[in-house]
Amino acid sequence: MSLDVSPTLLAQAREGRVDEADFLETVRASLPYAYRIVAGLSTELAAGDDEFTTDNTTPSDEQRAQLLRALASNAIRGSLEDHFGVKLAFVNCHRVGAFRPGAEDSEAYREFTSLHNQIRNQSPELRSC
């Protein structure tokens, strides 16, 4: 399961109206490492003039699993992007990039998400991710 959903949030979903703040709090509590990474990247991006920033740390298996769950879900990823005002990109199972909104057409974004960058970010120790 990706998230630890409270009965209140589940009731909201059943009624067809999920409060964004409640959902983000569930994401923060359920996937704290992934939330922290995105929060840190968005802060770093906002503080500078670079087109993007990236996290190159090698997470533990548990942390990697959180990143995968957060970034593989359109709903979770989209909520994080909206909340933090960034466009996220993901390479392999550990390298997250935060870009300024609208950057999808930039050379930096295309390079980060390219086939050759995916291949360059492969390593035997990350084979199972």
Side-chain angles (χ1 to χ4, degrees):
M1 218 168 39
S2 294
L3 302 174
D4 297 320
V5 178
S6 70
T8 301
L9 192 60
L10 186 57
Q12 287 179 15
R14 287 186 177 137
E15 294 170 10
R17 55 157 197 88
V18 174
D19 181 80
E20 185 77 19
D22 291 346
F23 182 71
L24 279 166
E25 176 54 27
T26 298
V27 170
R28 187 199 62 74
S30 301
L31 306 170
Y33 177 78
Y35 190 94
R36 236 182 2 264
I37 290 296
V38 175
L41 289 173
S42 69
T43 299
E44 187 177 323
L45 186 64
D49 294 325
D50 293 332
E51 288 184 72
F52 75 101
T53 188
T54 186
D55 178 71
N56 282 317
T57 58
T58 302
S60 69
D61 286 345
E62 180 182 331
Q63 292 167 330
R64 187 177 309 131
Q66 285 188 33
L67 286 174
L68 288 168
R69 290 194 307 271
L71 296 173
S73 164
N74 288 344
I76 296 171
R77 181 186 204 145
S79 290
L80 289 169
E81 288 175 333
D82 290 345
H83 178 71
F84 289 109
V86 297
K87 174 65 179 167
L88 298 172
F90 195 45
V91 176
N92 207 358
C93 59
H94 66 288
R95 189 166 179 219
V96 180
F99 291 77
R100 299 187 190 286
E104 297 87 343
D105 292 329
S106 73
E107 181 62 32
Y109 185 85
R110 286 192 304 271
E111 170 63 26
F112 190 85
T113 60
S114 69
L115 299 176
H116 56 272
N117 195 42
Q118 175 69 40
I119 292 168
R120 285 193 304 251
N121 278 276
Q122 300 298 301
S123 66
E125 56 273 2
L126 297 173
R127 175 99 175 152
S128 68
C129 70

